[in-house]
Amino acid sequence: MGAERYVPAGADLDELRTAAASCQGCDLHENATQTVFGAGPADARVVIVGEVPGDQEDREGEPFVGPAGRLLDRALAEAGIDRSLVYVTNAVKHFKFVPAERGKRRIHKTPSRTEVVACRPWLDAELDRVGPELVVALGATAAKSLLGQDFRVTKQRGSVLPMPDREERVVATVHPSAVLRANDREAAYQGLLADLTVAAKEMGQRTTRR
């Protein structure tokens, strides 16, 4: 189990995206509509990593195009980060879900540690090709994938931290979907915005192409 054998050595992002479409490194490919690979400029200074594609992302094949993505767009703009200059992806590339008891709705399910580890070669390949100066991890799954299982978003969010075994620095925050689920949505949104502002300041207030 694992994606490593599907990742072509020396491939650019387009070649990686094509190869990922055929990945069977874990069982999630069996029920997902398609692989949802990352998107954005190959020379991005910032890579944003979420957890797993949602229902709308699974159907459209693009990351962060659903409600959480729209909220992320708003927060990035307010923090001074131009999303068009950012590469966005997920720790796991296939939608994990359980069917609703009624109707055709599919309910998101958090990927297991085994599934996150299996998909990590794709994320490493993306980071290798983009070569960002900073990575923003959205939510516990993405943060633990990058910073280790002991990382706690609630305690360590909003700090600039080194990534183990890599040169990139990481700022972790909550996932936009958690903001949408929060009882006090405005307070949760302001927390996300504060963490993204830390990332913007770390990059010199605004992200620009290198």
Side-chain angles (χ1 to χ4, degrees):
M1 188 172 187
E4 188 170 7
R5 64 186 183 276
Y6 296 96
V7 181
D12 62 23
L13 287 175
D14 288 338
E15 292 167 336
L16 288 172
R17 185 174 293 106
T18 298
S22 302
C23 184
Q24 298 181 12
C26 75
D27 293 339
L28 294 183
H29 77 277
E30 295 178 358
N31 296 315
T33 303
Q34 60 192 314
T35 303
V36 181
F37 204 69
D43 60 350
R45 293 178 66 201
V46 179
V47 168
I48 292 179
V49 181
E51 177 190 87
V52 65
D55 181 81
Q56 190 168 336
E57 287 81 5
D58 174 68
R59 297 180 191 280
E60 296 188 21
E62 294 290 334
F64 289 98
V65 293
R70 291 190 289 273
L71 187 139
L72 176 63
D73 285 346
R74 172 189 164 195
L76 288 172
E78 290 189 31
I81 299 174
D82 183 350
R83 179 171 165 173
S84 69
L85 303 180
V86 173
Y87 187 89
V88 293
T89 190
N90 284 296
V92 174
K93 312 301 187 195
H94 284 112
F95 181 35
K96 183 174 183 178
F97 64 92
V98 293
E101 293 183 3
R102 296 180 179 179
K104 298 181 179 180
R105 192 164 62 94
R106 302 181 299 173
I107 301 172
H108 159 270
K109 187 175 181 181
T110 301
S112 68
R113 176 63 181 165
T114 299
E115 290 159 347
V116 172
V117 171
C119 208
R120 179 61 190 263
W122 291 117
L123 181 56
D124 281 333
E126 288 174 295
L127 293 174
D128 288 342
R129 302 308 176 268
V130 177
E133 297 171 30
L134 187 71
V135 178
V136 176
L138 302 178
T141 297
K144 289 181 179 182
S145 173
L146 297 168
L147 296 168
Q149 284 297 101
D150 293 333
F151 185 85
R152 296 293 180 269
V153 171
T154 53
K155 295 182 178 180
Q156 297 166 279
R157 61 184 291 182
S159 299
V160 182
L161 302 170
M163 192 188 310
D165 303 320
R166 295 193 63 94
E167 296 182 359
E168 296 89 354
R169 295 160 292 165
V170 182
V171 174
T173 186
V174 296
H175 197 284
S177 62
V179 175
L180 295 174
R181 295 192 303 267
N183 291 328
D184 189 341
R185 189 178 295 186
E186 182 57 29
Y189 177 77
Q190 291 302 321
L192 170 64
L193 179 58
D195 295 337
L196 292 178
T197 301
V198 170
K201 289 180 178 179
E202 178 68 12
M203 299 308 300
Q205 301 302 324
R206 291 184 179 273
T207 55
T208 57
R209 285 190 188 275
R210 286 174 291 188

